[in-house]
Each structure stands twice: as structure tokens, then as C-alpha cells.
Amino acid sequence: MAISWITALQLVPWDKVIEASPQLIKTAKGLLRSRGAREAEQAQAEEEAARLAASGAPSAQEMALQRIGILEDQVQALEQSQRQALEVIEQLAQQNAQLVATVSVLRTGAQRLAATCGVLGVVLLGSIAWFATRH
């Protein structure tokens, strides 16, 4: 069983996996950073809206328009995060497909090897029986 895992690991296109890993990590870190930045922007916008409301200067209409602008910015940031997450998922799916294909090839090879060993075992037993009857 250990040999099949070693063979499986040898057949994985590690150069492609290693090549794609930095991009995946970079994208994942970017997603985390954009989430933190988005939360900071939201807190800052809410603080500014509260400060303006406390000063009494803006009307309710102006505050509503400002809040709508903040919400539009948040929706755009969420859409960008979704696009980045989709790219990461696509890259992971491609790597997963490569691994599945490799495992499928290994499974087929293991089945052929088992059949060959069975045939060789039968031939060996036949040869031993033939040799025993001749001498």
C-alpha cells in the first residue's frame, strides 16, 4: 500500500502545484485583507454619519443619500470579493481535477498489475507442478 502512495505522489504534477500555490496564497490573503479594509471603511463611514448627525447640519435626506452611497460601495466591495473567491475556487478545482485524473491512472495501473501478478502466479504454480511431475 505504501508503494502505491509513493507512486501517486510521484505522478502528481508537483511543478504545476507549486507554481500555482503562491498565486492561491496571494489571492486568499488579498481576500482577507479586503475584508478587513471593508470592515474598517464601514466603521469609518458609520462614525462619520454619526458625527454629522450629532452636529445637526445634514438633513434626513442628505443622510439617507450618504448611507445609500456607503451601501453601494459595500456592495461593490462584496462583488469584488466574490470574484476573487471564485477565481480561487476555480484554481483549486483545476488542481483537484488533476489529482483525480492521476489517481484514476494509478488505479488502472494497480488493477493491471494485480491481474498480471495473478497470471504470473498461475504460470509459476503450473511450472512447479510440471517440474515436479517430470522429475
Side-chain angles (χ1 to χ4, degrees):
M1 190 64 149
I3 294 174
S4 65
W5 281 107
I6 291 171
T7 306
L9 292 175
Q10 289 174 345
L11 291 177
V12 172
W14 289 110
D15 55 338
K16 292 180 182 177
V17 172
I18 291 170
E19 182 181 315
S21 295
Q23 180 62 28
L24 289 172
I25 292 170
K26 181 180 176 183
T27 306
K29 284 182 179 179
L31 285 171
L32 292 174
R33 269 187 258 133
S34 68
R35 180 179 178 196
R38 188 175 54 241
E39 289 173 354
E41 287 176 5
Q42 182 180 4
Q44 182 182 10
E46 289 175 359
E47 182 180 307
E48 184 178 331
R51 184 178 48 80
L52 289 173
S55 69
S59 67
Q61 222 176 16
E62 290 172 342
M63 286 185 62
L65 289 174
Q66 183 182 16
R67 184 67 181 154
I68 289 171
I70 292 168
L71 292 173
E72 286 175 345
D73 292 342
Q74 289 175 349
V75 167
Q76 288 177 353
L78 288 171
E79 288 174 349
Q80 178 64 26
S81 292
Q82 258 186 332
R83 280 191 292 275
Q84 290 174 344
L86 181 61
E87 290 172 7
V88 170
I89 290 170
E90 279 183 20
Q91 291 173 354
L92 289 172
Q94 289 173 354
Q95 287 184 357
N96 191 32
Q98 288 176 347
L99 288 173
V100 167
T102 302
V103 168
S104 176
V105 167
L106 285 173
R107 184 180 304 130
T108 303
Q111 290 171 347
R112 288 180 182 168
L113 181 62
T116 303
C117 287
V119 168
L120 287 175
V122 169
V123 169
L124 179 64
L125 289 175
S127 297
I128 291 172
W130 179 78
F131 186 74
T133 58
R134 298 279 286 167
H135 287 80

